Amino acid sequence: MTTMAIIGAGPGLGAAVARRFGREGHDIALIARDQGRLDTLAGDLLRDGVTARGFVADVRDPDALQAALDAAHATLGPIEILQYSPVPHRDFMRPVLETTPADLVGPLAFSVHGPVAAVRQVLPDLRALGRGTVLFVNGGTAVVPHPDRAGTSIAFAAESAYGRLLHDTLAPEGIHVAQLIIPGAIVPGHHRKDPAVLADTLWGIHRDRQGFRHFADDLDS
């Protein structure tokens, strides 16, 4: 089987997605900033029968992100599935009238430069395989901008546009690009926003390959 790379992997959604896709036979590349936490998560997954390795990168450093994905390819094999789902920083969420040009540097690096770097790095694998999936996971401000969260509202909108362009452009090559919108917080035990439920949703998006934008829950939830 091939590899799934999870950018922004952590003990919540990332771990649940790793277990779900790992059960289907995919090896898992976990990408985040802390090697110790990645090693702990990889060990937990191994005990569950999932082959996983951690690779360090900050998504705001395109060179480091591409190097991590290159190392994942070399260690685990071709990447067929890419999930981009890092959690935005709290300081990205300033009121719109208090947001300066400098305040947008971080959000745009996080939600635009990072995805572009990641997709460009894995695209040769996807094309060589003749198939693959790119999954963008975003909050509700990607769809309904919030005046108190200007940074993420602006950056998620740009990320959404990039994802939609990829969806339309790569579909003829058998590469599916999709976005899952998760309104509000991920909530353990919630019937639609529990991490394991969301992982099942993402697996279904990968499997069914229908449409670009999907919603985990109602936008007003």
Side-chain angles (χ1 to χ4, degrees):
M1 290 291 286
T2 55
T3 301
M4 178 184 196
I6 302 173
I7 297 175
L13 179 62
V17 169
R19 288 187 173 90
R20 184 66 183 86
F21 282 74
R23 287 205 309 268
E24 302 294 335
H26 294 285
D27 292 343
I28 307 296
L30 307 164
I31 299 175
R33 293 182 297 166
D34 188 306
Q35 186 70 61
R37 292 181 181 180
L38 289 171
D39 290 344
T40 297
L41 179 53
D44 291 343
L45 292 167
L46 182 60
R47 285 188 285 274
D48 291 337
V50 177
T51 299
R53 299 286 186 277
F55 304 90
V56 171
D58 186 325
V59 299
R60 293 174 295 181
D61 182 342
D63 291 339
L65 186 54
Q66 290 180 319
L69 288 164
D70 184 59
H73 169 103
T75 304
L76 297 172
I79 295 171
E80 180 183 352
I81 307 158
L82 173 70
Q83 176 173 303
Y84 193 87
S85 54
V87 178
H89 294 227
R90 289 189 177 184
D91 61 3
F92 294 172
M93 303 179 194
R94 298 180 185 275
V96 63
L97 296 182
E98 297 175 14
T99 298
T100 69
D103 291 328
L104 294 176
V105 172
L108 291 173
F110 197 90
S111 296
V112 180
H113 304 165
V116 172
V119 170
R120 287 179 62 84
Q121 187 65 27
V122 304
L123 190 55
D125 275 357
L126 304 180
R127 282 176 160 160
L129 291 167
R131 65 181 189 275
T133 304
V134 178
L135 299 166
F136 293 102
V137 179
N138 295 109
T141 55
V143 181
V144 181
H146 194 293
D148 291 331
R149 301 170 191 167
T152 53
S153 295
I154 293 166
F156 280 173
E159 183 179 341
S160 299
Y162 177 62
R164 183 60 197 236
L165 291 169
L166 290 175
H167 170 84
D168 295 342
T169 302
L170 293 174
E173 299 184 46
I175 299 167
H176 183 56
V177 180
Q179 179 188 51
L180 177 63
I181 301 294
I182 305 175
I186 294 172
V187 183
H190 191 279
H191 68 291
R192 295 182 71 178
K193 296 193 291 184
D194 177 85
V197 175
L198 292 169
D200 277 335
T201 299
L202 287 160
W203 172 257
I205 293 170
H206 165 67
R207 178 195 61 212
D208 298 339
R209 312 180 72 75
Q210 298 295 318
F212 170 66
R213 178 170 286 166
H214 305 261
F215 293 88
D217 203 358
D218 298 333
L219 281 173
D220 58 359
S221 64

